[in-house]
Amino acid sequence: MTLPTYRPDPDGTHPPLGFPGYRSTALRHPKQPLVLLPQMLTEVTGPLLGPGRLGEHDNDLTRQHAGEPQGQRIVVHGRLLDGDGRPVRNSLVEIWQANAGGRYRHTGDRWPSPVDPNFDGVGRTLTDDDGHYEFTTIKPGAYPWKNHDNAWRPAHIHFSVFGTSFTQRLVTQMYFPEDPLFAQDPIFNSIPDEKARMRMVSRFDLARTRPEWALAYEFDIVLRGRDASVFEDEEDDE
Amino acid sequence: MSTPSQTVGPYLSIGLPWDDGPEVVPEGTPGAVVLRGVVRDGNGDPVPDAMIETWQADADGRFDHPDDPRGRVAGFRGFGRCPTDEQGRWSIRTVVPGPVPGSGGTPQAPHIDVSVLGRGLLHRVVTRIYFPEHTEAHAADEVLNAVPEERRGTLIAVREGDGYRFDVRLQGDGETVFFEV
């Protein structure tokens, strides 16, 4: 039985589980060493979640209510790719975010910025055959949190993607270019490798703006790549 | 080069849960069981802003996926998703998976792969659920055998009521075994 295998991401790509700057990790990160899980059938397969998950306006967060939400309309688009540049097709992309004032529509979010009755901050879509996705939404605001003195999260949109295998599952956050709040944010700065960290920052995309309607940002999401299949190569050599 | 992981944050429940997320199989499916547990932190306190995701084979040990070399079996979602509640509780309805082929022709003991996501977790943590009745298969299971014997018990669910209990301890006494994938 020959299965595909997925190569590990280089050191520094992902944040450590324990990161003192982000206080909530203190009691929630495992202290025992992780045990290596070989990539067998369960790990190289994964849920393939099709169009059944989508509602009519799930990819346009500005049209989910009778009225329009407050704030700057933006288009967020990009491609879902594996580490070898191959598109991940027909794959579910889920997002959630704060409104233009930096407030989540969540009972736990109590800071005094108004809830927008026309904005849920929740979107879903599928990538197309080329791995492209697109959302229309509102640029989220920054918001305070109590992690450290005068702590503010840089504006961000949460992304959840599945890839094609359990090993590729990823939840991340998309940030906006040149945000002055990056320097003080431990969640953003938890990524050791600077180049990897900058892969979470979207690119302003003038070409995809909509005249007199919306700004645009491009954000590609890259998942673990497959190992080259040594078995096939060996056969080719013979 | 991959995109890094970030925490789902405290408000994951606005974006991630689905109405049918906890239903890996519909109600009334023959052999359906409820798998439930509590997620706790290093103080033993429940974690109310976490989410459990499960991925598994069907009762015959097959996957609805093109990379299953035996061919895909259509129609079994195999995926469960449940946020924790205020008491840290989660539950899904599923079936006990069949044995899945391992390396070298030895079948693996029936198991479910699990991701735990939550506030305070910058990257998901991964564990596996095994079932208490498969003691013989456990003794031969390659993954379980790589786990220090004194910690193996954290991976084995406990028979309870109409299904099984599987608690997750993120840190501290009885810390669940987590895997590097």
Side-chain angles (χ1 to χ4, degrees):
Chain A
M1 189 171 67
T2 305
L3 299 176
T5 56
Y6 293 82
R7 60 174 180 269
D9 288 322
D11 285 348
T13 302
H14 295 294
L17 289 166
F19 190 73
Y22 174 25
R23 292 192 329 207
S24 299
T25 67
L27 287 170
R28 295 184 172 190
H29 73 279
K31 291 194 168 174
Q32 298 291 324
L34 303 183
V35 177
L36 184 68
L37 183 61
Q39 296 183 18
M40 294 192 276
L41 254 177
T42 315
E43 290 71 42
V44 301
T45 55
L48 303 176
L49 302 159
R53 293 281 131 208
L54 305 180
E56 189 185 2
H57 294 306
D58 279 4
N59 66 345
D60 187 342
L61 287 70
T62 68
R63 294 176 68 194
Q64 295 171 351
H65 291 271
E68 282 222 44
Q70 294 284 327
Q72 183 94 63
R73 279 185 293 266
I74 58 171
V75 171
V76 176
H77 74 98
R79 294 174 78 199
L80 183 60
L81 302 164
D82 74 12
D84 306 300
R86 284 184 290 241
V88 181
R89 303 184 166 93
N90 306 314
S91 192
L92 185 68
V93 180
E94 297 170 294
I95 63 169
W96 69 105
Q97 64 170 95
N99 69 25
R103 173 96 182 242
Y104 284 90
R105 193 162 195 167
H106 189 284
T107 52
D109 190 353
R110 300 279 175 81
W111 88 281
S113 177
V115 169
D116 184 337
N118 294 315
F119 193 69
D120 293 338
V122 180
R124 295 201 164 108
T125 194
L126 282 185
T127 59
D128 67 13
D129 285 342
D130 203 25
H132 277 291
Y133 72 87
E134 181 176 312
F135 291 101
T136 303
T137 183
I138 294 291
K139 188 173 181 190
Y143 58 86
W145 61 314
K146 295 179 177 133
N147 186 74
H148 54 277
D149 183 40
N150 204 11
W152 292 75
R153 287 303 327 280
H156 62 275
I157 298 177
H158 295 266
F159 273 76
S160 163
V161 295
F162 290 89
T164 54
S165 75
F166 183 78
T167 57
Q168 288 186 314
R169 176 85 176 99
L170 181 73
V171 172
T172 189
Q173 298 178 18
M174 180 198 106
Y175 297 90
F176 292 86
E178 295 169 40
D179 193 320
L181 293 169
F182 286 157
Q184 59 79 59
D185 183 54
I187 293 181
F188 178 75
N189 289 301
S190 66
I191 311 302
D193 182 84
E194 191 193 351
K195 283 185 181 157
R197 200 156 63 229
M198 295 315 285
R199 284 196 290 275
M200 302 186 296
V201 181
S202 58
R203 181 182 74 84
F204 174 66
D205 185 359
L206 184 65
R208 289 290 288 273
T209 56
R210 292 186 196 153
E212 299 180 49
W213 184 255
L215 296 173
Y217 294 88
E218 183 181 29
F219 180 56
D220 290 340
I221 303 168
V222 182
L223 305 176
R224 277 171 87 157
R226 284 191 184 194
D227 273 330
S229 174
V230 290
F231 302 101
E232 286 170 26
D233 291 342
E234 282 168 0
E235 281 168 14
D236 288 346
D237 288 346
E238 282 169 6
Chain B
M1 288 287 274
S2 302
T3 307
S5 166
Q6 294 273 268
T7 174
V8 292
Y11 305 130
L12 64 100
S13 62
I14 76 167
L16 288 173
W18 306 332
D19 288 346
D20 67 348
E23 295 160 24
V24 181
V25 297
E27 203 170 355
T29 301
V33 293
V34 175
L35 196 50
R36 56 168 69 85
V38 175
V39 180
R40 292 183 189 280
D41 69 11
N43 278 342
D45 293 331
V47 177
D49 40 18
M51 188 178 75
I52 295 283
E53 285 185 348
T54 61
W55 170 244
Q56 66 170 98
D58 69 10
D60 298 321
R62 305 282 295 263
F63 295 93
D64 184 358
H65 193 280
D67 287 337
D68 188 326
R70 302 161 297 176
R72 63 191 291 185
V73 176
F76 182 69
R77 191 176 80 195
F79 178 70
R81 173 187 263 188
C82 186
T84 56
D85 68 11
E86 288 303 307
Q87 282 80 47
R89 296 175 300 199
W90 62 277
S91 73
I92 62 163
R93 182 173 57 233
T94 190
V95 291
V96 175
V100 169
S103 49
T106 311
Q108 299 179 70
H111 61 270
I112 295 179
D113 275 9
V114 180
S115 303
V116 185
L117 305 112
R119 179 175 68 88
L121 284 168
L122 283 161
H123 203 348
R124 67 168 175 168
V125 289
V126 167
T127 187
R128 265 188 174 194
I129 300 174
Y130 289 84
F131 297 87
E133 57 269 28
H134 305 133
T135 43
E136 219 167 289
H138 292 170
D141 187 85
E142 178 177 345
V143 172
L144 273 180
N145 278 309
V147 172
E149 195 174 356
E150 68 278 8
R151 301 188 64 208
R152 257 171 238 168
T154 69
L155 300 176
I156 299 170
V158 176
R159 181 92 215 175
E160 183 186 283
D162 52 355
Y164 301 85
R165 162 174 286 271
F166 184 81
D167 290 334
V168 174
R169 185 72 191 258
L170 293 172
Q171 186 188 87
D173 289 344
E175 183 176 302
T176 302
V177 169
F178 296 106
F179 292 97
E180 182 185 337
V181 288

